[in-house]
Amino acid sequence: MDFKLNILGTGAAVPAHGRFSAAQVLETHNKSFLIDCADGTQHQFLNCNVKSTRLSHIFISHLHGDHCFGIIALLSTLGMTGHTNDIYIHSHPDLEALLRPMLNYFCFDLDFKIYFEPFDPLTSNIIYEDRSITVTSIPLVHSMPTCGFLFREKEGAPHLRKEMLDFYNVPLSMYPSIKEGADFVTTDGRIVPNMHLTTPPSPAKSYAYCSDTRYTERIIPIIEGVDCLYHEATYATPELDKAKKHLHSTAAEAATIAQKAGVKQLIIGHYSKRYDTIEPLLREAQAIFPATTAAYDGLKVRF
Amino acid sequence: MDFKLNILGTGAAVPAHGRFSAAQVLETHNKSFLIDCADGTQHQFLNCNVKSTRLSHIFISHLHGDHCFGIIALLSTLGMTGHTNDIYIHSHPDLEALLRPMLNYFCFDLDFKIYFEPFDPLTSNIIYEDRSITVTSIPLVHSMPTCGFLFREKEGAPHLRKEMLDFYNVPLSMYPSIKEGADFVTTDGRIVPNMHLTTPPSPAKSYAYCSDTRYTERIIPIIEGVDCLYHEATYATPELDKAKKHLHSTAAEAATIAQKAGVKQLIIGHYSKRYDTIEPLLREAQAIFPATTAAYDGLKVRF
């Protein structure tokens, strides 16, 4: 099933005019996953026309303010607008102690529960799983424990070939077992192999979010071949020294990771406030990895 | 000296498209005073082209999220952008305990200090004073302890009449005492009364901020005759029952307060999300008090 990615914010630590800081919503399998939640994210749901109704899981890459300062306001507003899904916040273990006093004061009467799901950002593990997808942490290299997130769809069931099922008069009650790989035996004893009754499942989709990070090839085995990679590109190459100092990446480095990992497409974002226009960042990334898109607040990508 | 009021947000508890929640910046005497600080306020400084350089004092009317969720993000960004003025946060005493864990975690290395200046919102007191202005709390009627703020300029010194000082050959060294009311004695012993050497000081300016509140005439003696009153107008009169239930005001009630208090101009704001257009609120307020302006995010008023 398609992934629909909504970019809510493309700014870095210091906000720039027209750019909110890090927040994205990934929609798939009738669920919405919020990735990072900077100050003002609740406004970006409105501004970018993204619904929060199906939101249940929030993934926080690291505890810098431009990735988590918007959580309380978002939860408070969800509480006032009829949200009922419980909310699970996946983050570094420190977050709960930071938010608890405010949650107890401002969000004590919500119609949903809030659960903290702490994990270690410095190891790669499956930190969330449901029947459709898994989310795996991607350890990154930054000034505090930070990870990205790999959203990988589970391989679906084969598709039933309706015309063949009708042809062999397969009873409806057998559809589930055929979807699971069973052959069919006709009333006169002939065996119809499963491969005649089904087509292979749609390819499982995958999305990797990598922000914030210094250039590191250690992530390549984890993100290899994903359908879409979002990689931070805080700086352009002339500011490589700043990227190294602040443990961020240049656009060229993001593109190099995309190329070496053989991903299908790259989206860059998390731009330093110094760039009024992101044209130079896009240009240097596309020179290395042509299938690059420069994110902007409100960008929607389906893959 | 003129007051310059910058409205950064005009929304209420639940944000509406195009409206941030409560935040204003009052600029006068080379200082900036931030009044309330909703989620996303740091972005509104940029969007509304308001500088934060001279910011030293933040006044929080009450501890509902739409009036204070943006403080941490603002302070953190000030810390990253070279701000050096110490910041004093004037609020209900509970705020410090709520913000301390996050301040200690996210804002431990600022180039300025943060001081909490707690006060009791339920009594009217001078809560801030410098040589140019006083700020007085205005107890309001809301679902939690809430107050407005009266900014009142102190009466300035008389203006020197340069042509008269020159005419009488008043030495420069005597200017300060003449500004303070002294007469001048000429070399041949004639007394020149002070009133010939000065003109009266400019009228002292005043601004009252009243949000959030149910209609209450108890504020009238405090705000009487101010140059500008900002009064919340969450609802229009058809929703008076909601205004009563949620302890807010209608636009007509805001206008009635303005009229009874004999203020020079009224600004309404803090609009419920239900109003896509604020025309009906403005219309009902102007029918009672014609000198009403409907605030919008980015409005600047000088008085």
Side-chain angles (χ1 to χ4, degrees), chain A residues 4-270:
Chain A
K4 183 179 174 193
L5 178 66
N6 303 272
I7 308 281
L8 305 190
T10 56
V14 177
H17 186 72
R19 283 184 217 138
F20 279 72
S21 295
Q24 307 189 350
V25 175
L26 183 68
E27 295 175 295
T28 189
H29 291 277
N30 290 319
K31 287 187 176 162
S32 295
F33 300 95
L34 176 60
I35 309 165
D36 283 337
C37 185
D39 175 55
T41 292
Q42 62 164 343
H43 292 279
Q44 288 299 80
F45 270 91
L46 291 176
N47 295 338
C48 303
N49 199 20
V50 176
K51 293 215 183 314
S52 55
T53 326
R54 288 169 173 162
L55 184 65
S56 274
H57 293 272
I58 302 175
F59 295 87
I60 302 296
S61 64
H62 65 299
L63 301 187
H64 275 158
D66 58 322
H67 293 253
C68 64
F69 277 162
I71 297 174
I72 285 281
L74 176 66
L75 294 175
S76 169
T77 293
L78 289 177
M80 287 184 283
T81 50
H83 190 86
T84 51
N85 288 357
D86 290 341
I87 296 283
Y88 297 80
I89 304 175
H90 306 261
S91 79
H92 186 284
D94 284 354
L95 187 62
E96 180 166 7
L98 294 170
L99 293 188
R100 266 292 165 219
M102 296 188 86
L103 283 174
N104 293 343
Y105 198 92
F106 295 107
C107 304
F108 56 88
D109 58 352
L110 306 178
D111 288 334
F112 56 89
K113 289 204 167 59
I114 297 166
Y115 298 100
F116 284 85
E117 301 282 333
F119 66 88
D120 173 13
L122 297 180
T123 60
S124 181
N125 291 303
I126 292 178
I127 57 171
Y128 168 78
E129 182 166 14
D130 62 25
R131 62 184 195 157
S132 313
I133 71 156
T134 58
V135 180
T136 303
S137 52
I138 310 169
L140 300 174
V141 178
H142 197 43
S143 51
M144 63 163 11
T146 301
C147 72
F149 301 107
L150 171 66
F151 291 77
R152 190 178 287 285
E153 195 182 21
K154 292 180 176 176
E155 187 157 305
H159 299 286
L160 297 175
R161 295 178 65 185
K162 276 296 186 64
E163 77 286 5
M164 297 303 281
L165 296 168
D166 288 348
F167 180 82
Y168 289 111
N169 283 318
V170 179
L172 213 61
S173 61
M174 291 200 63
Y175 282 19
S177 62
I178 287 171
K179 250 185 150 1
E180 284 169 9
D183 297 335
F184 176 63
V185 184
T186 60
T187 45
D188 55 2
R190 272 188 303 149
I191 292 173
V192 185
N194 186 275
M195 62 177 293
H196 290 173
L197 303 172
T198 61
T199 54
S202 310
K205 297 295 172 71
S206 52
Y207 171 61
Y209 170 86
C210 295
S211 184
D212 298 0
T213 190
R214 182 69 204 113
Y215 178 85
T216 173
E217 297 189 357
R218 281 187 312 208
I219 66 177
I220 291 175
I222 308 175
I223 66 172
E224 204 148 24
V226 293
D227 291 291
C228 181
L229 166 66
Y230 179 96
H231 195 291
E232 71 127 293
T234 309
Y235 296 106
T237 299
E239 282 74 46
L240 177 60
D241 56 333
K242 285 196 170 52
K244 287 181 175 170
K245 182 179 168 195
H246 299 297
L247 295 163
H248 284 298
S249 301
T250 64
E253 289 172 333
T256 304
I257 292 291
Q259 186 195 44
K260 293 194 175 186
V263 307
K264 298 211 179 74
Q265 67 166 304
L266 168 67
I267 300 173
I268 55 170
H270 198 269

Side-chain angles (χ1 to χ4, degrees), chain A residues 13-17 19-20 39-40 42-43 46-47 63-65 68-69 72-73 76-77 80-81 94 98-99 101-102 105-106 273, chain B residues 13-17 19-20 39-40 42-43 46-47 63-65 68-69 72-73 76-77 80-81 94 98-99 101-102 105-106 273:
Chain A
V14 177
H17 186 72
R19 283 184 217 138
F20 279 72
D39 175 55
Q42 62 164 343
H43 292 279
L46 291 176
N47 295 338
L63 301 187
H64 275 158
C68 64
F69 277 162
I72 285 281
S76 169
T77 293
M80 287 184 283
T81 50
D94 284 354
L98 294 170
L99 293 188
M102 296 188 86
Y105 198 92
F106 295 107
K273 179 182 161 67
Chain B
V14 177
H17 186 72
R19 282 184 218 140
F20 280 72
D39 175 55
Q42 62 164 342
H43 292 279
L46 292 176
N47 295 338
L63 301 187
H64 276 157
C68 64
F69 277 162
I72 284 282
S76 169
T77 293
M80 288 184 284
T81 51
D94 285 352
L98 294 169
L99 292 188
M102 297 188 85
Y105 198 91
F106 294 107
K273 179 182 161 68

Side-chain angles (χ1 to χ4, degrees), chain B:
Chain B
M1 185 177 280
D2 274 3
F3 280 14
K4 183 179 174 193
L5 178 66
N6 304 272
I7 308 281
L8 305 190
T10 56
V14 177
H17 186 72
R19 282 184 218 140
F20 280 72
S21 295
Q24 307 189 349
V25 175
L26 183 68
E27 296 174 295
T28 189
H29 290 277
N30 290 318
K31 287 187 177 165
S32 295
F33 300 94
L34 176 60
I35 308 165
D36 283 336
C37 185
D39 175 55
T41 292
Q42 62 164 342
H43 292 279
Q44 289 297 79
F45 270 92
L46 292 176
N47 295 338
C48 303
N49 199 22
V50 176
K51 293 219 181 316
S52 55
T53 325
R54 289 171 173 159
L55 185 64
S56 274
H57 293 272
I58 302 176
F59 295 86
I60 301 297
S61 63
H62 65 300
L63 301 187
H64 276 157
D66 58 321
H67 293 253
C68 64
F69 277 162
I71 297 174
I72 284 282
L74 176 67
L75 294 176
S76 169
T77 293
L78 289 177
M80 288 184 284
T81 51
H83 191 86
T84 51
N85 287 356
D86 290 341
I87 297 282
Y88 297 80
I89 304 175
H90 306 262
S91 78
H92 185 283
D94 285 352
L95 187 61
E96 180 166 7
L98 294 169
L99 292 188
R100 267 290 166 219
M102 297 188 85
L103 284 174
N104 293 343
Y105 198 91
F106 294 107
C107 304
F108 56 89
D109 58 352
L110 306 178
D111 289 334
F112 54 90
K113 289 204 168 59
I114 296 166
Y115 298 100
F116 285 85
E117 301 282 331
F119 66 89
D120 173 13
L122 298 180
T123 59
S124 181
N125 292 303
I126 292 179
I127 57 171
Y128 169 79
E129 182 167 13
D130 62 24
R131 62 185 194 155
S132 313
I133 70 156
T134 58
V135 181
T136 303
S137 52
I138 310 168
L140 300 174
V141 177
H142 197 42
S143 52
M144 65 163 11
T146 301
C147 72
F149 301 108
L150 170 66
F151 291 76
R152 189 180 286 285
E153 194 182 22
K154 292 180 176 177
E155 188 158 303
H159 299 288
L160 297 174
R161 295 177 66 184
K162 276 298 186 61
E163 77 286 5
M164 298 302 282
L165 296 169
D166 289 345
F167 180 82
Y168 288 110
N169 285 318
V170 180
L172 214 63
S173 61
M174 290 200 62
Y175 282 18
S177 62
I178 287 172
K179 249 184 151 6
E180 283 168 12
D183 297 333
F184 176 63
V185 184
T186 60
T187 45
D188 56 1
R190 272 188 304 149
I191 293 174
V192 185
N194 186 274
M195 61 178 291
H196 292 172
L197 303 172
T198 60
T199 53
S202 311
K205 297 296 172 72
S206 52
Y207 171 61
Y209 171 86
C210 295
S211 183
D212 300 358
T213 190
R214 181 69 204 112
Y215 178 86
T216 171
E217 297 189 358
R218 281 187 312 207
I219 66 176
I220 291 175
I222 308 174
I223 66 172
E224 205 148 25
V226 294
D227 292 291
C228 180
L229 165 67
Y230 179 95
H231 195 291
E232 72 127 294
T234 309
Y235 295 105
T237 299
E239 281 75 46
L240 177 60
D241 55 335
K242 287 195 168 53
K244 286 180 175 170
K245 181 178 169 196
H246 299 298
L247 295 164
H248 284 297
S249 301
T250 64
E253 289 172 332
T256 303
I257 292 290
Q259 186 195 44
K260 292 194 174 187
V263 307
K264 297 211 180 73
Q265 66 167 304
L266 167 68
I267 301 174
I268 55 170
H270 198 271
Y271 314 118
S272 161
K273 179 182 161 68
R274 70 174 48 229
Y275 303 108
D276 287 335
T277 165
I278 50 178
E279 194 56 41
L281 290 92
L282 179 60
R283 217 178 310 121
E284 75 172 51
Q286 284 183 333
I288 295 165
F289 190 79
T292 301
T293 301
Y296 54 84
D297 290 20
L299 173 68
K300 293 174 194 291
V301 184
R302 192 182 279 271
F303 49 89

